[in-house]
């Protein structure tokens, strides 16, 4: 007997347009030809392969959901499918596309002046320039309202002081979108608002240091960032964002990409376990012939297909402009939680070999631990949903 093709179980292909299938196939080919052959080595060596960035730009994947300024203007489902295919290879590369496109480029596209957009976006879309998004601070990421990094006005300049942590790409970035607290008379007596600044990373006082010792996301870069009297001109501020809704608007985009991406990691784990279940013999028959293994495979398939269908549903809502932050929380929480469960079940089917890099499963499981934590932890998304359900704020 042959295993059913995964994408035939619910006829997912049949739910996509030709254009969406084209984006998906190009991303799948890129992942298989350019990322998979080198990813185990890069993960082992903790190496970020910067030369792939321009290739991602050539493919049109960077900021692909944005309109104008060299961006592809693709639909939300197309963008999600690209995230899924890249993360099927490695979460680090989907994270790159998220940080560059969903966070840094989205911030500039949504909130930037015309001059800021012209200066940064075309180069970022091509992969010639890299951006990062500095929101989280060392004392913790769940409560950005407690940020202590500040900007004060000094003549024609702003001066930024503070520290950020877990900032993807910061040490290789050309520009940082830095979120800080600004005190100025416009916000009233003693008033302060969260504002975003575009800081070229060559600016004096800006230091990014890669975080060592990661057992997850080893083929990508996350940094500590220090801002020590960083002086930027008056027009470095993002004029269109004031308050936390600025960075949260970008987080919505990145969280949406994760809804799809985590299912890519899950698919790779499932496929590894399914293939192995038909080859590996124990007690004189393939382990896939055992009821316990089949039950695991069936449960993995359920969550994988349900997760992809949920992602597709949220993508269609997004395309209609009807997707709410609470719905994104449903998707982010579910996709990452179930992807981790699928990875863990796949590992059991692979037996001892499952802990080696002969299979991608432990790498995906390790990466997904990061994905579970960034862009809002499981607990934060549970509390966002709890608040939406009860009307009561538990933060
Ligand atoms: P709250 O009072 O709820 O809201 C404050 C203002 O923000 C608005 N808002 C949103 N706007 C758009 N989209 C959303 N999802 C929004 N959520 C809230 C809200 O309307 C309000 O606006 P206004 O105009 O009335 O002021 O704020 P809160 O402080 O109570 O929020 C609580 C909570 C827990 C939901 C929020 O703090 C939260 O989401 N925390 C998690 C933070 C998070 O996800 N951090 C991730 C950091 S970035 C990252 O991980 C990058 S990883 C990639 C890399 O760099 O490698």
């Amino acid at each position: 007997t042959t295993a059913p093709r995964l994408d035939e179980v619910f006829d997912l292909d049949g739910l996509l347009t030709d254009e969406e299938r084209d984006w998906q196939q190009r991303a799948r080919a890129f992942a298989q030809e350019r990322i998979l052959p080198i990813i185990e080595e890069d993960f082992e060596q903790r190496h970020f392969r910067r030369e792939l960035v321009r290739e991602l730009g050539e493919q049109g994947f960077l900021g692909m959901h944005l309109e104008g300024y060299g961006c592809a203007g693709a639909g939300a489902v197309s963008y999600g499918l690209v995230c899924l295919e890249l993360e099927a290879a490695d979460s680090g590369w989907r994270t790159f596309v998220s940080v560059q496109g969903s966070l840094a480029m989205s911030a500039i596209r949504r909130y930037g002046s015309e001059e800021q957009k012209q200066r940064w976006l075309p180069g970022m879309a091509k992969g010639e320039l890299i951006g990062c998004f500095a929101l989280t601070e060392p004392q913790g990421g769940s409560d950005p309202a407690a940020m202590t990094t500040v900007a004060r006005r000094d003549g024609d300049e702003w001066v930024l002081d503070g520290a950020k942590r877990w900032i993807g790409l910061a040490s290789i970035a050309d520009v940082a979108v830095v979120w800080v607290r600004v005190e100025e008379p416009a916000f009233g007596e003693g008033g302060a608002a969260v504002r975003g600044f575009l800081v070229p990373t060559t600016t004096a006082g800006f230091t990014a240091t890669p975080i060592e010792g990661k057992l997850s996301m080893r083929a990508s870069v996350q940094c500590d960032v220090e801002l020590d009297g960083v002086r930027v001109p008056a027009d470095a501020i993002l004029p269109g964002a004031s308050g936390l809704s600025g960075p949260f608007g970008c987080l919505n985009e990145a969280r949406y990409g994760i809804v799809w991406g985590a299912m890519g990691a899950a698919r790779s784990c499932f496929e590894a376990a399914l293939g192995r279940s038909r080859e590996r013999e124990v007690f004189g028959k393939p382990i896939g012939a055992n009821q316990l293994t089949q039950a695991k495979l069936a449960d993995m398939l359920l969550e994988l297909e349900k997760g992809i269908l949920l992602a597709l549903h949220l993508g269609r809502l997004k395309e209609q402009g009807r997707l709410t932050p609470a719905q994104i929380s449903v998707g982010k929480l579910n996709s990452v939680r179930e992807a981790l469960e699928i990875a863990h079940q796949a590992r059991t089917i692979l037996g001892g070999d499952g802990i080696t890099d002969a299979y991608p499963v432990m790498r995906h499981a390790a990466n997904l631990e990061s994905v579970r934590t960034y862009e809002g932890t499981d607990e934060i998304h549970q509390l966002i949903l709890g608040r939406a359900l009860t009307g009561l704020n538990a933060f």
Side-chain angles (χ1 to χ4, degrees), residues 99 136 141-142 144 168 245 248 251-252 255 325 374-376 380 387 395:
V99 173
T136 295
S142 290
S245 57
F248 285 159
L251 292 188
N252 289 339
R255 290 169 177 173
Y374 70 31
E375 307 291 357
I380 286 293
R387 179 167 69 179
F395 300 115

Side-chain angles (χ1 to χ4, degrees), residues 51-271:
E51 57 268 32
L52 289 187
V53 171
R54 276 181 195 249
E55 294 185 35
L56 287 167
E58 284 162 16
Q59 293 290 332
F61 298 154
L62 303 179
M64 63 177 274
H65 63 299
L66 303 174
E67 295 278 348
Y69 305 94
C71 304
V77 170
S78 296
Y79 179 49
L81 288 162
V82 169
C83 289
L84 183 148
E85 294 299 337
L86 294 178
E87 194 149 358
D90 191 74
S91 301
W93 280 102
R94 196 272 308 143
T95 299
F96 175 83
V97 168
S98 292
V99 173
Q100 175 88 346
S102 293
L103 294 176
M105 292 176 73
S106 279
I108 298 170
R109 182 68 182 83
R110 282 164 165 256
Y111 311 126
S113 65
E114 186 56 34
E115 195 188 344
Q116 289 169 335
K117 292 179 208 174
Q118 298 282 1
R119 177 175 176 192
W120 296 108
L121 290 177
M124 292 172 85
K126 286 190 193 127
E128 291 168 359
L129 298 173
I130 294 177
C132 66
F133 186 89
L135 175 66
T136 295
E137 301 199 344
Q139 72 274 14
S142 290
D143 184 14
M147 73 172 67
T148 59
T149 301
V150 292
R152 66 182 163 79
R153 192 66 185 246
D154 184 20
D156 286 343
E157 293 179 320
W158 291 97
V159 185
L160 279 56
D161 282 288
K164 301 285 178 180
R165 183 162 166 82
W166 294 116
I167 307 309
L169 313 175
S171 60
I172 54 168
D174 299 282
V175 62
V177 178
V178 184
W179 298 97
V180 304
R181 190 167 295 287
V182 168
E183 297 192 6
E184 54 171 20
F187 302 125
E189 187 76 15
V194 170
R195 300 294 301 255
F197 286 84
L198 297 185
V199 180
T201 53
T202 50
T203 312
F206 181 99
T207 313
T209 309
I211 294 171
E212 301 288 341
K214 287 182 298 156
L215 302 176
S216 170
M217 295 282 185
R218 287 162 62 103
S220 71
V221 183
Q222 287 80 30
C223 298
D224 278 308
V225 170
E226 195 183 339
L227 298 143
D228 183 11
V230 172
R231 285 183 175 270
V232 289
D235 62 5
I237 199 165
L238 288 171
S242 180
L244 274 176
S245 57
F248 285 159
C250 304
L251 292 188
N252 289 339
E253 298 291 336
R255 290 169 177 173
Y256 168 76
I258 293 170
V259 178
W260 285 92
M263 285 295 110
R267 187 185 72 191
S268 292
C269 294
F270 177 78
E271 287 175 347

